[in-house]
Amino acid sequence: MARMPADTHCPYCALQCGMTVGGAGTVAPREFPTNRGGLCQKGWTAGSLLSHPDRLTTPLVDGVPASWDSAIGHVADRIRDLQAAYGPDSVAVFGGGGLTNEKAYLLGRFARVALGTSQIDYNGRFCMSSAAAAGNRAFGIDRGLPFPVTDLDDAEVVVLAGANVAETMPPLMGHLTGARLVVVDPRRTPTAERAVAAGGLHLQPVPGTDLVLALGLLHAAVTEGLVDRAFVEQRTSGFDDAWRLAAQWWPERAERACGVAATDMRTVVSWLAGSARRYVLTARGAEQHAHGVDTVTAWINLSLALGLPGTPGSGFGTITGQGNGQGGREHGQKADQLPGYRRIDDPAARAHVAAVWGVDADSLPGPGRSAVELIDAIGTPGGPRALLVFGSNLRVSAPDAARVAAKLDALDLLVVADFLPGETARRADVVLPVAQWAEEEGTLTNLEGRVLRRRRALDPPPGVRTDLDVITGLAAALGFGGFPTTPRAVFDELRAASAGGPADYSGITWDRLDAGEALHWPCPEPGHPGTPRLFLDRFAHPDGRARLVPVDHVPAAELPDDPYPLRATTGRVLVHYQSGAQTRRVEELAAVVPDVFVEVHPDTAARAGLVDGAWARVESRRGRVLARVRCVLSVRPDTVFLPFHFGDGQAANLLTNPVLDPVSRMPEFKVAAVRLLPVSGEAVSA
Ligand SMILES: Nc1nc2c(c(=O)[nH]1)N[C@H]1C(S)=C(S)[C@@H](COP(=O)(O)OP(=O)(O)OC[C@H]3O[C@@H](n4cnc5c(=O)[nH]c(N)nc54)[C@H](O)[C@@H]3O)O[C@H]1N2
Ligand SMILES: Nc1nc2c(c(=O)[nH]1)N[C@H]1C(S)=C(S)[C@@H](COP(=O)(O)OP(=O)(O)OC[C@H]3O[C@@H](n4cnc5c(=O)[nH]c(N)nc54)[C@H](O)[C@@H]3O)O[C@H]1N2
Ligand code: SF4
Ligand SMILES: [Mo]
């Protein structure tokens, strides 16, 4: 079964480190611009899951092993029955930002054409949606980094707002060694430590107050005369309106709201204004808020006032998270979207894509519900009764996990395609075992908008099918036999569907990718060199200008009060990935962080009667988690932190607040009011 070693990329995050995988699944790092031969522990150990004893290798229907024919036939029958009784929208699809471009694209076509449902969304709603909405609003296009990662090598100053890169993309730190770093994080993370050690700054705001911090920075820039007037005049619109709101937030006033010293704000602005090569980058810490879009907008406004975006050697960007977080948000698995980053409510976009799919544009459904709203609608009149999940472990990763569990349990039919029995798959009515990264071909688009080839190094275990085979098989069973079957054929169809759209892949061919060309979209013709740097001449709005949008401070949706006096925030640790479905099964990684913990400042722990290493009950208005206390000086005394990588009673999302950003529909993962209670040893083992 072993095949040739293949040059491919890591299955996990959007840095998409280059690696070579041997026929037995061994991983060796490979020179590639994003990682330059480096890998983090997750990448190094990724091969061990290919032959993991928990690997799913046979379809399961109601827990009983079944043949592929009967499993697919069963799903198709149930879908037909439900749709006959309750209409096309009674069947919903949930995708993921880890899926290849081809899977994301085909899943969108499958939903709109074979199921005829509007109800499709994906986990990128939890990840990139606020950054994407803010980028579209300001620049007219959403590409996380509008420049290659290697441009950061020459930076003099880099602001990382809510990004803990040293743990979430370790090799990326290698591109930041020459720069003075400003890290904005309520915790002194390894990234913040590195910043301070190298002469930079750590700003430690109260969770949920980045927006006011960015307003304070803009205020300092204006009052100290540091705004790039020529840039603002020639390349932007909306400065005066944005300034009208920011003018209320002089640094001392902003300091009272966010906890960052006004003097530090002035220092940061002087560093940014005083250097030629400077970047502002945001990630989930700034974005996963009920006002995440406005928060990113505030960072963009600051960047525009200082003349960063679209200037060679400088820029604004957001750091995309999942392996294909960029491509996964471009090709139609999002509720409001068609391939090529087209809008599903745009008649011209519908006509173009319908022609590629060979259907009548009027037959395409309209926009559906966003991820949390889709889950919430289960069990309501007109809501989904069946859910097909590809590439998300939403029982662990969606906010207010107890409610999510109840909703999923209320479905008439839950189908999960996965290669491991994660928490969501374990409770599914039908489980479809699929191939893993090193067993399949495809393309992904990394954090810098560069399209990459995933290559097959070994065959999937017997009995396992690829996601593409599953999707085409289901479509055929529903009477739609015309779907392309090979990854390359799907990619070619995607290219045609994307042609003329904002994310235009039509000039990116499989052969060009295989020849090793570095192709960043848009790439509208086969002879086009791709676009590593966007916005150098113009922004993507019709007038060519970037827009400053007026935004004002809004407090987090749930603030600390007497019963719940602390702010809990959530995020990641180095050794675990996302819901942990994969990394909790890798021995070397699980040994480092076996269980959920809660980071607590020693003073806060003492007040709650807790000591380092004890178990604590962390409670919010929605649920409770048993977590091991880690007393650390690195977290603000008013804040506690939990990683979200654990399931069942250890899921941080039992605590989180499912309130949504009004524009992006991103949930507020980063702020919930909680309290801490001591637990006796017996209670823990009981
Ligand atoms: N090890 C590891 N790496 C990963 C992943 C993983 O699961 N594990 N997942 C990948 C994915 S999908 C993503 S999206 C990225 C995420 O990458 P990051 O955004 O770097 O990761 P997070 O830990 O979610 O959040 C970053 C930081 O935000 C801080 N934070 C919390 N609240 C606030 C706030 O209100 N303001 C500010 N400024 N900061 C705040 C947290 O303390 C945390 O240190 O990582 C990718 N890489
Ligand atoms: N509290 C809190 N919650 C969060 C976050 C947070 O910071 N705090 N972050 C959010 C973010 S940014 C993200 S991206 C989400 C991610 O959370 P999830 O959406 O749960 O992502 P994963 O854990 O990567 O789940 C992927 C599942 O799909 C499987 N899988 C992987 N690749 C494939 C594939 O190619 N095909 C198929 N069929 N299956 C595959 C894996 O085995 C796993 O079971 O979590 C969000 N939830
Ligand atoms: S940084 Fe991301 S892509 Fe690179 S090895 Fe680690 S998980 Fe994989
Ligand atoms: Mo993410």
Side-chain angles (χ1 to χ4, degrees):
M1 106 165 206
R3 294 162 60 110
M4 296 288 289
D7 284 351
T8 187
H9 297 268
C10 176
Y12 297 119
C13 85
L15 200 59
Q16 283 298 291
C17 296
M19 52 170 65
T20 302
V21 179
T26 49
V27 163
R30 178 167 66 85
E31 270 308 314
F32 188 72
T34 60
N35 64 308
R36 296 193 184 126
L39 295 177
C40 78
Q41 285 101 307
K42 299 186 298 299
W44 274 110
T45 55
S48 68
L49 292 174
L50 295 164
S51 53
H52 196 278
D54 287 354
R55 183 84 197 255
L56 297 167
T57 54
T58 177
L60 301 171
V61 176
D62 299 325
V64 179
S67 70
W68 273 100
D69 281 351
S70 69
I72 295 278
H74 172 77
V75 173
D77 287 346
R78 297 287 285 125
I79 287 173
R80 259 193 298 267
D81 291 349
L82 287 168
Q83 289 191 319
Y86 303 103
D89 277 356
S90 62
V91 179
V93 176
F94 201 95
L99 301 179
T100 60
N101 288 320
E102 296 72 32
K103 297 177 192 181
Y105 166 82
L106 208 63
L107 205 55
R109 179 174 170 188
F110 170 73
R112 271 63 173 247
V113 176
L115 296 176
T117 181
S118 67
Q119 301 297 298
I120 174 169
D121 210 52
Y122 81 123
N123 69 6
R125 195 65 77 168
F126 305 152
C127 181
M128 291 306 297
S129 60
S130 286
N136 277 322
R137 196 159 81 169
F139 305 123
I141 207 164
D142 155 39
R143 204 182 87 190
L145 297 186
F147 47 80
V149 159
T150 44
D151 281 8
L152 296 170
D153 295 340
D154 301 319
E156 294 166 74
V157 179
V158 178
V159 175
L160 292 166
N164 180 15
V165 190
E167 294 195 81
T168 54
M169 295 192 184
L172 187 59
M173 290 304 280
H175 297 277
L176 301 173
T177 50
R180 208 177 220 167
L181 298 181
V182 177
V183 171
V184 185
D185 198 306
R187 302 184 300 139
R188 182 164 292 226
T189 57
T191 316
E193 291 287 357
R194 288 271 285 275
V196 173
L201 264 179
H202 173 212
L203 311 183
Q204 202 164 4
V206 178
T209 63
D210 284 67
L211 205 167
V212 77
L213 169 62
L215 292 171
L217 292 167
L218 179 57
H219 194 287
V222 173
T223 51
E224 317 254 319
L226 299 174
V227 168
D228 184 340
R229 292 283 168 192
F231 179 92
V232 167
E233 188 113 322
Q234 288 154 25
R235 303 213 48 194
T236 74
S237 62
F239 180 85
D240 292 343
D241 288 341
W243 169 240
R244 237 187 301 286
L245 293 179
Q248 320 291 318
W249 290 100
W250 58 96
E252 283 71 15
R253 182 175 179 224
E255 171 176 343
R256 286 196 292 279
C258 71
V260 173
T263 48
D264 284 346
M265 294 185 208
R266 295 199 173 89
T267 304
V268 171
V269 168
S270 71
W271 285 356
L272 282 171
S275 12
R277 297 184 300 278
R278 57 262 159 87
Y279 292 86
V280 172
L281 305 176
T282 69
R284 303 310 83 74
E287 299 163 9
Q288 289 172 327
H289 296 280
H291 295 278
V293 178
D294 282 358
T295 302
V296 178
T297 299
W299 287 108
I300 293 176
N301 288 351
L302 173 72
S303 306
L304 288 169
L306 297 171
L308 275 56
T311 301
S314 294
F316 171 88
T318 58
I319 303 173
T320 293
Q322 299 181 81
N324 197 32
Q326 181 70 51
R329 67 184 190 262
E330 298 165 358
H331 299 301
Q333 58 174 334
K334 207 172 169 189
D336 51 3
Q337 195 197 55
L338 289 172
Y341 221 128
R342 291 182 151 94
R343 293 180 59 99
I344 202 166
D345 57 6
D346 168 6
R350 295 170 66 85
H352 174 87
V353 174
V356 174
W357 289 347
V359 298
D360 184 350
D362 291 335
S363 73
L364 296 178
R369 296 181 178 91
S370 75
V372 171
E373 291 163 301
L374 190 155
I375 298 167
D376 254 4
I378 295 168
T380 65
R385 306 187 76 103
L387 185 67
L388 280 55
V389 181
F390 288 79
S392 178
N393 188 9
L394 63 169
R395 197 178 270 269
V396 177
S397 54
D400 193 359
R403 183 170 163 86
V404 172
K407 289 288 182 181
L408 295 180
D409 290 342
L411 285 163
D412 291 336
L413 175 69
L414 175 63
V415 180
V416 176
D418 208 315
F419 39 78
L420 288 167
E423 285 74 5
T424 311
R426 280 208 301 273
R427 302 288 293 265
D429 301 299
V430 179
V431 178
L432 302 172
V434 293
Q436 290 193 46
W437 58 290
E439 300 159 351
E440 62 181 15
E441 302 277 342
T443 71
L444 292 89
T445 306
N446 76 355
L447 76 168
E448 45 181 16
R450 176 175 169 172
V451 185
L452 310 169
R453 279 277 280 110
R454 170 179 281 189
R455 294 190 182 87
R456 181 169 178 160
L458 56 168
D459 295 326
V464 164
R465 292 191 179 173
T466 65
D467 286 298
L468 290 181
D469 286 343
V470 173
I471 299 167
T472 48
L474 277 171
L478 291 165
F480 294 82
F483 280 38
T485 50
T486 67
R488 187 177 175 137
V490 179
F491 184 69
D492 282 336
E493 191 183 288
L494 175 164
R495 291 173 51 216
S498 79
D504 190 331
Y505 281 45
S506 53
I508 302 176
T509 66
W510 204 263
D511 289 338
R512 290 182 80 183
L513 294 174
D514 272 346
E517 276 193 75
L519 295 170
H520 301 248
W521 69 258
C523 180
E525 291 142 33
H528 190 284
T531 315
R533 293 175 191 81
L534 288 166
F535 314 142
L536 293 182
D537 303 320
R538 62 192 313 280
F539 294 98
H541 286 303
D543 63 1
R545 287 171 180 266
R547 294 180 188 158
L548 287 93
V549 178
V551 290
D552 202 356
H553 173 49
V554 184
E558 188 180 53
L559 294 173
D561 53 13
D562 278 349
Y564 300 95
L566 296 165
R567 288 182 199 234
T569 192
T570 60
R572 298 163 162 80
V573 299
L574 172 60
V575 293
H576 283 298
Y577 192 69
Q578 315 277 60
S579 70
Q582 290 159 272
T583 49
R584 280 187 272 130
R585 291 188 161 81
V586 178
E587 256 173 63
E588 298 94 307
L589 303 179
V592 181
V593 184
D595 289 298
V596 74
F597 59 84
V598 56
E599 280 185 0
V600 188
H601 191 278
D603 297 347
T604 311
R607 262 198 305 279
L610 293 165
V611 292
D612 187 53
W615 287 91
R617 215 160 67 207
V618 190
E619 292 186 349
S620 79
R621 286 189 174 77
R622 291 154 296 276
R624 56 174 61 168
V625 172
L626 273 187
R628 181 83 77 173
V629 174
R630 277 196 189 176
C631 282
V632 291
L633 291 163
S634 53
V635 67
R636 293 178 56 96
D638 55 9
T639 302
V640 301
F641 169 86
L642 300 94
F644 79 101
H645 308 297
F646 301 89
D648 302 325
Q650 297 200 354
N653 275 317
L654 289 164
L655 306 172
T656 48
N657 187 355
V659 61
L660 303 181
D661 182 286
V663 177
S664 67
R665 321 309 283 165
M666 157 77 81
E668 186 142 271
F669 286 123
K670 293 294 197 250
V671 193
V674 300
R675 62 182 169 221
L676 292 178
L677 301 166
V679 193
S680 66
E682 303 84 88
V684 172
S685 45

